[in-house]
Amino acid sequence: GISAYSLVSICRNARPIMKEGSSILALTYLGSTKMVANYNIMGVAKAALESSMRYLAADMGKDGVRVNCLSSGAVKTLAASGISGFGKMLKAGAVKASLKRNVTLQDVGRAGLYLASDLSSGTTGQIIYCDCGCESVYASGEEMELLTQSVE
């Protein structure tokens, strides 16, 4: 994965070969802005990555290069397998998400393709969420029902 440090390094080294209209993309996660159980220090690292992306977007934008982050929901990857309780994270995401499912690798790939293409020519310095609506929901009806049953 790309860290704040490596994103800055990649941008610095790629800048001479980047053409106007080019795009740089980093992957992030909801744990950068909200506490997610067991995500721990990765949330802090992703917050730093997102902040770096905004400054890089302003700097690289002078050359017509776009820099964005793509925030996917919980998706089964090799990196995710190292997160304790990842299976529970997947179940919770599907309950919370507006689309009532977890994001797929194909969903994330399509969102990345949009950000890499000219279709997003006016988009820079942004975090695009591809998480089936999980980020936009505070509490789903199912969550509220379950939680109120356990409290009463």
Side-chain angles (χ1 to χ4, degrees):
I2 293 206
S3 68
Y5 174 80
S6 59
L7 180 61
V8 171
S9 179
I10 287 169
C11 287
R12 183 182 331 107
N13 289 299
R15 188 176 205 145
I17 61 170
M18 299 295 288
K19 296 178 182 174
E20 185 173 342
S22 296
S23 179
I24 295 173
L25 176 63
L27 294 175
T28 188
Y29 179 64
L30 180 68
S32 65
T33 60
K34 294 179 175 55
M35 195 293 295
V36 175
N38 300 318
Y39 201 58
N40 302 325
I41 195 67
M42 283 303 299
V44 176
K46 293 297 187 181
L49 173 70
E50 292 172 10
S51 182
S52 296
M53 173 272 302
R54 286 186 286 273
Y55 284 91
L56 288 164
D59 186 47
M60 302 285 287
K62 297 169 191 166
D63 298 325
V65 176
R66 296 172 286 119
V67 185
N68 292 289
C69 280
L70 175 57
S71 180
S72 74
V75 64
K76 290 181 183 178
T77 63
L78 184 58
S81 65
I83 299 171
S84 175
F86 184 71
K88 290 179 182 178
M89 189 183 292
L90 283 172
K91 289 177 186 174
V95 168
K96 181 180 283 294
S98 300
L99 295 178
K100 299 301 175 204
R101 67 176 178 86
N102 286 299
V103 69
T104 66
L105 290 173
Q106 290 80 8
D107 294 328
V108 177
R110 289 180 189 121
L113 180 60
Y114 160 74
L115 287 170
S117 76
D118 289 342
L119 293 173
S120 66
S121 61
T123 304
T124 193
Q126 300 300 309
I127 301 162
I128 305 299
Y129 290 90
C130 180
D131 62 3
C132 295
C134 195
E135 188 275 337
S136 65
V137 177
Y138 171 70
S140 69
E142 294 88 347
E143 284 179 297
M144 290 190 292
E145 185 64 32
L146 183 63
L147 291 171
T148 56
Q149 288 174 4
S150 65
V151 173
E152 293 173 356

